[in-house]
């Protein structure tokens, strides 16, 4: 069938089963939107392209499907960049479609021209500049395939305007065959046998699992493997929900803000079984002090991450689910009762905790209450910083795809648009963005998107008036000089103020009025006894809600491992 | 140590930029890079010399292999290979010293490819060490310019790079 290129893209999206697109129109991408709005694909009009790509990312993380974001050329495309990098670091499947100036204008510094292929090359899994309209069906098919298979990631298609209006023949390919791209799924059986020999011989094993479990839908296999063998589990930030947070074998998150039990376990163990995790620096702390007594079995679909940061004794390249299924067949209960008892004692004696020692709301208390009042049945997104760590600590995630957070890139402004994407994927679920007052302002304009699309997203702002994690580091490592981390600072303030008190000028913005200005509901909560009622009201409300909690200003996230220290050198506050 | 990799990639615009961008972005040190079409016009071969230890090279290979445009990587450091480099060297040379330059060029089996009143241009082909040695011998005359292709390599005997050496990671 002959049709214009832009229509081919829309047709191809339909063939890929795309039900929703997040985007923002503009000059070069108008032909695409013209055809899209004649079709039965939902389009969420965000208020900034970065919001669109984060929303597509939140949709992808919550649903397991490929997220799609569309923008125009030039500034539309460059506004996608932070979102693409966020998805790339966390291996999230996205297809990005950008308009481009006509082919013969490329390189001319044309109006709204940017070399988005060049700009995005290091932060995409792959990209295409479409030069021939006849290539569109193959390119879209390949883009979706590459985005969701192997180690997933963002794939960008740059579509020049003249190509999108040129006519060509639309035949959608049945299969993909890319000679340079053949991900290995099933692990080598010898390697798996060898890995299981290490498991059997070990006396103090620990499972360290990450986001790869969620990507490959391997939570059931991981849980079965841990329960069958009796091996305790620690998860990375990206892995939260991959193993039930309420399971007795769960030690908590490990790393810089990991639990004492998890960090001690990794430091004292004789075997680390790493699955779908990449020994990131926030996990290992100083590598030379990381797990010095342990052998390492590493299962990952991406050979690059094996022996990149930590030398591995048994590498198994493959899909986490397929490999765990094979490992499970060879698994048997291990006689490691005393080791497990030791870990359980560490866990019991060092719970995550905070002191309710003042009449002001504690941020941790807010997260605890959200957990309690939702019964743990909610999708939580986070911004970045202290809010993110408290959301990781005080909400126990029993299911995958319920904790959505920018782990690798650490993108402030991620949480709210991601919550919009998650709510679009699951209209009936309770969705909370646990935010800081700094982060939320980075993508606050998405309030219009949430309100107009009638999405009952709840935003819980833990307002301490600071960029809290920056302030925490300044307190510990910069002699308590709060340089530019106070969000209330005005010229009338003392220049080197590090003493927040009753004299501080009024906070800007007034989040309640801001919510109301957008047609959302705004509730300010100032006292601990009002926290519960406000959260209940938000959950029950069919509207977009901002809950602003005025929390203790100088609360710190503990436990904490100082940068450069070993992860067993823990500050517990 | 220096490692020589033979990398087969899709012959698309921007692929060389992608490869060199990946290597520089990840902090790897490329000594030389040479690219050209192969017997199959849809495929380009890139010969690159990368400095580092085993662990660095392991990462380079894996990172390159992750690119969709990379079809196959062969580590020529692991198998016997014929290595060549071509260099063009322009030296100052007045009439009185030409004979000396000619003698050196002769010994190295290089060629004079251009001659002018005050300069000579020499073409030399060989392993990198030979090219280095000639350049050193010519230095006293005053080198005006050097152009080098970087190393290209091919497996010895029946083996072809696509099939021998490195298996896909």
């Amino acid at each position: 069938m002959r049709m214009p290129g832009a229509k081919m893209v829309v047709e191809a999206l339909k063939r890929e089963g795309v039900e929703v697109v997040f985007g923002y129109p503009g000059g070069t991408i108008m032909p695409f939107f013209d055809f899209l709005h004649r079709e039965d694909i939902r389009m969420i009009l965000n208020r900034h392209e970065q919001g669109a790509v984060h929303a597509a990312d939140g949709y992808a993380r919550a649903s397991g499907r490929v997220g799609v974001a569309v923008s125009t050329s030039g500034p539309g495309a460059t506004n996608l960049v932070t979102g693409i990098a966020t998805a790339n670091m966390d291996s999230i499947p996205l297809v990005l479609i950008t308009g481009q100036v006509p082919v013969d204008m490329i390189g001319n510094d044309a109006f709204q021209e940017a070399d988005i292929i060049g700009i995005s090359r290091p932060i995409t899994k792959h990209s295409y500049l479409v030069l021939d309209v006849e290539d569109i069906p193959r390119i879209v098919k390949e883009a979706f395939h590459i985005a969701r298979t192997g180690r997933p990631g963002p794939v960008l298609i740059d579509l020049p305007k003249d190509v999108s209006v040129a006519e060509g023949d639309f035949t959608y390919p049945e299969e993909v065959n890319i000679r340079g791209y053949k991900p290995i799924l099933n692990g080598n059986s010898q390697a798996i046998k060898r890995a299981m020999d290490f498991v059997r011989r070990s006396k103090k094993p620990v499972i360290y699992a990450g986001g790869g479990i969620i990507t490959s839908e391997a939570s059931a296999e991981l849980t079965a493997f841990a329960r069958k063998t009796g091996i305790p589990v620690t998860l990375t930030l990206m892995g939260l929900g991959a193993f039930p947070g309420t399971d007795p074998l769960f030690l908590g998150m490990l790393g810089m803000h990991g639990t004492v039990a998890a960090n001690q376990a990794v430091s004292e163990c004789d075997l680390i079984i790493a699955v779908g995790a990449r020994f990131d620096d926030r996990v290992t702390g100083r590598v030379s002090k990381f797990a010095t007594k342990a052998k390492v079995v590493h299962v990952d679909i991406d050979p690059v991450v094996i022996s990149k940061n930590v030398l591995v004794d048994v590498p198994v390249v493959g899909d986490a689910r397929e490999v765990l299924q094979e490992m499970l067949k060879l698994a048997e209960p291990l006689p490691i009762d005393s080791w497990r008892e030791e870990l359980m004692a560490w866990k019991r004696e060092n719970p995550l905790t905070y002191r309710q020692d003042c009449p002001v709301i504690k941020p941790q208390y807010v997260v605890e209450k959200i957990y309690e009042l939702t019964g743990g049945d909610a999708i939580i997104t986070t911004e970045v910083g202290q809010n993110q760590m408290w959301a990781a600590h005080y909400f126990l995630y029993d299911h995958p795809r319920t904790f959505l957070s920018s782990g690798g890139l650490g993108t402030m402004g991620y949480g709210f648009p991601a919550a919009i994407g998650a709510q679009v994927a699951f209209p009936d679920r309770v969705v909370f963005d646990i935010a800081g007052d700094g982060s939320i302002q980075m993508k606050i304009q998405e309030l219009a998107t949430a309100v107009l699309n009638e999405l009952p997203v709840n935003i819980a702002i833990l307002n301490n008036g600071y960029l809290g994690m920056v302030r925490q580091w300044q307190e510990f490592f910069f002699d308590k000089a709060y340089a530019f981390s106070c969000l209330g600072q005005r010229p009338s303030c003392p220049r080197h103020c590090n003493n927040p008190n009753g004299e501080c000028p009024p906070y800007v913005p007034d989040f309640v009025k801001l919510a109301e200005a957008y047609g959302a509901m705004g509730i300010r909560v100032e006292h601990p006894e009002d926290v519960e009622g406000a959260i209940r009201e938000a959950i029950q409300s069919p509207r977009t809600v901002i809950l602003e909690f005025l929390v203790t200003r100088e609360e710190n996230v503990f436990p904490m491992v100082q940068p450069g220290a070993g992860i067993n050198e823990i500050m517990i506050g | 140590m220096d490692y020589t990799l033979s990398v087969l990639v899709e012959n698309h615009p921007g692929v060389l930029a992608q490869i060199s961008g990946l290597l520089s972005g990840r902090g790897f040190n490329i000594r030389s890079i040479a690219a050209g079409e192969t017997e199959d016009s849809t495929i380009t071969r890139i010969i690159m010399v990368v400095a580092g230890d085993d662990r660095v090279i392991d990462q380079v290979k894996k990172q390159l292999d992750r690119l969709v445009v990379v079809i196959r990587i062969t580590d020529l450091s692991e198998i016997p290979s014929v290595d060549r480099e071509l260099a063009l060297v322009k030296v100052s040379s007045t009439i009185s010293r030409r004979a000396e330059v000619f003698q050196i060029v002769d010994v190295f089996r290089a060629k004079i490819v251009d001659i002018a009143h005050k300069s000579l241009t020499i073409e030399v082909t060989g392993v990198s060490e030979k090219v280095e040695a000639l350049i050193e011998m010519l230095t006293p005359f005053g080198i005006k310019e050097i152009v080098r292709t970087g190393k290209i390599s091919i497996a010895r005997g029946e083996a072809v790079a696509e099939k021998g050496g490195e298996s896909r990671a």
Side-chain angles (χ1 to χ4, degrees):
Chain A
M1 203 179 5
R2 288 191 72 76
M3 62 178 79
K7 186 165 188 208
M8 285 190 189
V9 177
V10 175
E11 277 301 315
L13 295 183
K14 281 162 65 185
R15 303 294 171 97
E16 290 297 326
V18 172
E19 54 181 26
V20 60
V21 165
F22 301 86
Y24 206 94
T28 57
I29 197 68
M30 282 167 63
F32 168 83
F33 282 114
D34 185 59
F35 287 108
L36 185 75
H37 99 287
R38 296 161 205 272
E39 297 291 342
D40 199 21
I41 295 178
R42 189 171 180 196
M43 158 69 188
I44 303 291
L45 176 64
N46 290 85
R47 287 301 183 270
H48 186 287
E49 290 85 352
Q50 188 187 340
V53 60
H54 287 327
D57 172 312
Y59 172 87
R61 292 190 206 219
S63 69
R65 312 181 65 180
V66 177
V68 180
V70 184
S71 80
T72 193
S73 59
T78 56
N79 276 348
L80 294 175
V81 167
T82 301
I84 300 173
T86 303
N88 191 53
M89 284 285 255
D90 290 346
S91 310
I92 305 304
L94 295 184
V95 169
L96 296 318
I97 300 169
T98 51
Q100 182 55 279
V101 300
V103 172
D104 59 1
M105 299 288 280
I106 291 176
N108 270 354
D109 294 337
F111 176 66
Q112 292 197 327
E113 182 188 354
D115 173 16
I116 192 61
I117 296 280
I119 291 168
S120 67
R121 201 171 271 136
I123 51 166
T124 49
K125 186 171 173 186
H126 193 51
S127 56
Y128 295 92
L129 171 62
V130 188
L131 294 173
D132 183 348
V133 66
E134 303 281 352
D135 289 339
I136 288 177
R138 175 186 59 82
I139 285 175
V140 178
K141 177 88 181 175
E142 286 183 5
F144 275 84
H145 175 73
I146 291 169
R148 73 176 148 234
T149 54
R151 180 177 175 178
V155 179
L156 186 141
I157 301 172
D158 200 21
L159 184 66
K161 187 165 183 186
D162 55 335
V163 177
S164 74
V165 297
E167 291 215 344
D169 178 53
F170 182 84
T171 312
Y172 206 60
E174 298 279 313
E175 282 177 7
V176 173
N177 185 13
I178 308 165
R179 55 189 168 185
Y181 181 72
K182 310 260 189 259
I184 297 165
L185 297 180
N186 42 357
N188 176 295
S189 59
Q190 286 309 109
I192 291 172
K193 277 209 190 80
R194 203 157 155 253
M196 287 308 292
D197 287 342
F198 273 70
V199 171
R200 258 188 303 276
R201 280 202 301 271
S202 107
K203 296 184 173 59
K204 298 178 169 188
V206 171
I207 295 168
Y208 147 60
I213 300 291
I214 293 170
T215 305
S216 72
E217 308 283 357
S219 293
E221 286 76 7
L222 174 71
T223 306
F225 182 80
R227 286 177 181 163
K228 177 97 180 268
T229 54
I231 303 174
V233 177
T234 177
L235 295 171
T236 68
L237 183 78
M238 289 300 299
L240 293 178
F243 184 80
T246 52
D247 193 292
L249 285 174
F250 184 52
L251 300 169
M253 182 171 77
L254 81 166
M256 179 174 273
H257 292 294
T259 63
V260 171
N263 285 356
Q264 284 292 350
V266 168
S267 301
E268 295 301 319
C269 70
D270 66 2
L271 179 70
I272 292 180
I273 306 155
V275 192
R278 60 185 175 91
F279 294 90
D280 167 85
D281 58 275
R282 282 294 186 272
V283 159
T284 60
R286 183 174 292 270
V287 174
S288 59
K289 294 183 181 175
F290 179 75
T292 48
K293 302 167 189 169
K295 300 278 184 199
V296 179
V297 167
H298 193 179
V299 180
D300 204 286
I301 198 158
D302 183 3
V304 162
V305 301
I306 291 177
S307 289
K308 183 166 80 171
N309 301 334
V310 169
L311 280 175
V312 170
D313 299 283
V314 187
V316 184
V317 176
D319 175 74
R321 183 151 174 241
E322 298 205 12
V323 173
L324 279 170
Q325 281 170 349
E326 293 306 310
M327 287 172 71
L328 195 52
K329 286 180 195 159
L330 303 170
E332 48 202 65
L334 296 176
I336 53 169
D337 293 359
S338 62
W339 165 242
R340 197 165 46 240
E341 279 315 307
E342 199 178 335
L343 296 189
M344 293 306 127
W346 282 335
K347 184 176 166 181
R348 224 169 23 245
E349 288 155 20
N350 303 281
L352 289 165
T353 184
Y354 61 95
R355 281 185 288 274
Q356 186 64 63
D357 53 4
C358 65
V360 183
I361 301 169
K362 289 279 177 167
Q364 301 96 325
Y365 176 73
V366 174
V367 179
E368 256 179 7
K369 282 291 160 190
I370 293 173
Y371 176 62
E372 202 180 298
L373 296 171
T374 57
D377 182 19
I379 297 174
I380 302 297
T381 72
T382 79
E383 305 292 340
V384 166
Q386 290 185 319
N387 60 79
Q388 183 182 30
M389 292 301 116
W390 287 320
H393 284 163
Y394 292 96
F395 195 108
L396 302 179
Y397 301 89
D398 274 342
H399 303 287
R401 304 196 180 283
T402 56
F403 176 76
L404 320 183
S405 189
S406 170
L409 197 67
T411 308
M412 290 172 72
Y414 169 79
F416 179 32
I420 288 174
Q423 190 81 76
V424 167
F426 296 101
D428 300 326
R429 295 197 63 177
V430 175
V431 177
F432 268 90
D433 170 28
I434 294 178
D437 54 306
S439 295
I440 192 64
Q441 292 187 61
M442 287 216 173
K443 279 280 140 296
I444 194 74
Q445 70 278 52
E446 296 301 328
L447 271 173
T449 315
V451 169
L452 293 176
N453 287 284
E454 298 172 0
L455 300 170
V457 170
N458 305 300
I459 306 164
I461 303 175
L462 308 174
N463 186 349
N464 55 18
Y466 282 109
L467 300 175
M469 191 59 91
V470 174
R471 188 211 54 73
Q472 176 171 340
W473 281 49
Q474 287 168 335
E475 180 183 331
F476 294 161
F477 314 127
F478 292 86
D479 299 328
K480 212 180 170 190
Y482 293 168
F484 312 113
S485 55
C486 176
L487 295 175
Q489 189 157 32
R490 298 180 183 223
S492 57
C493 293
R495 186 168 159 75
H496 300 295
C497 171
N498 60 2
N499 180 30
N501 55 40
E503 308 293 302
C504 290
Y507 187 83
V508 170
D510 179 327
F511 283 113
V512 172
K513 282 187 185 157
L514 187 74
E516 286 165 358
Y518 274 102
M521 187 198 286
I523 306 173
R524 180 172 298 120
V525 190
E526 300 181 47
H527 306 291
E529 60 271 25
D530 299 329
V531 169
E532 223 175 283
I535 294 171
R536 268 186 222 284
E537 199 178 338
I539 294 171
Q540 280 154 15
S541 167
R543 298 172 62 192
T544 306
V545 181
I546 282 191
L547 294 170
E548 183 195 21
F549 298 96
L550 303 184
V551 299
T552 45
R553 296 206 60 191
E554 295 179 278
E555 195 71 18
N556 289 321
V557 175
F558 290 115
M560 178 174 187
V561 174
Q562 291 197 25
I567 60 164
N568 54 345
E569 303 166 85
I570 307 167
M571 300 161 66
I572 46 177
Chain B
M1 155 169 186
D2 287 353
Y3 290 76
T4 307
L5 303 181
S6 172
V7 185
L8 293 181
V9 301
E10 297 288 348
N11 185 5
H12 291 164
V15 170
L16 198 57
Q18 189 174 0
I19 302 240
S20 56
L22 169 84
L23 296 173
S24 64
R26 300 227 172 232
F28 299 121
N29 188 359
I30 314 178
R31 292 243 194 261
S32 75
I33 189 161
E37 215 170 271
T38 60
E39 62 282 3
D40 176 345
S41 65
T42 67
I43 296 178
T44 298
R45 185 191 308 281
I46 298 173
I47 304 282
M48 60 175 83
V49 179
V50 187
D53 56 20
D54 283 355
R55 207 165 156 185
V56 168
I57 298 309
D58 183 52
Q59 267 294 308
V60 170
K61 288 193 267 190
K62 286 171 167 178
Q63 293 278 2
L64 285 171
D65 199 37
R66 187 154 75 168
L67 298 179
V68 174
V69 293
V70 170
I71 300 163
R72 186 169 287 277
I73 301 163
T74 307
D75 188 345
L76 290 173
S77 328
E78 290 173 354
I79 53 175
S81 61
V82 179
D83 307 325
R84 286 294 179 272
E85 188 179 357
L86 185 140
L88 297 171
V89 186
K90 188 177 288 184
V91 293
S92 305
S93 168
T94 51
I95 296 168
S96 61
R97 298 198 74 185
R98 264 188 202 156
E100 289 175 66
V101 177
F102 276 48
Q103 260 184 357
I104 293 168
V105 167
D106 215 35
V107 170
F108 278 87
R109 292 181 205 172
K111 278 196 294 194
I112 308 288
V113 292
D114 185 52
I115 187 159
H117 291 299
K118 291 181 181 166
S119 74
L120 284 171
T121 299
I122 297 135
E123 175 193 313
V124 59
T125 310
V127 297
S128 299
E129 291 76 10
K130 174 180 162 185
V131 175
E132 300 284 352
L134 175 62
I135 289 169
E136 200 198 314
M137 291 307 293
L138 293 173
T139 303
F141 296 94
I143 290 176
K144 291 163 154 308
E145 195 176 4
I146 299 177
V147 180
R148 297 174 70 160
T149 57
K151 183 161 91 167
I152 57 168
S153 300
I154 194 164
R156 285 188 184 274
E158 307 302 313
V160 284
E162 295 87 283
K163 287 162 192 153
E166 181 74 4
S167 63
R168 289 190 60 88

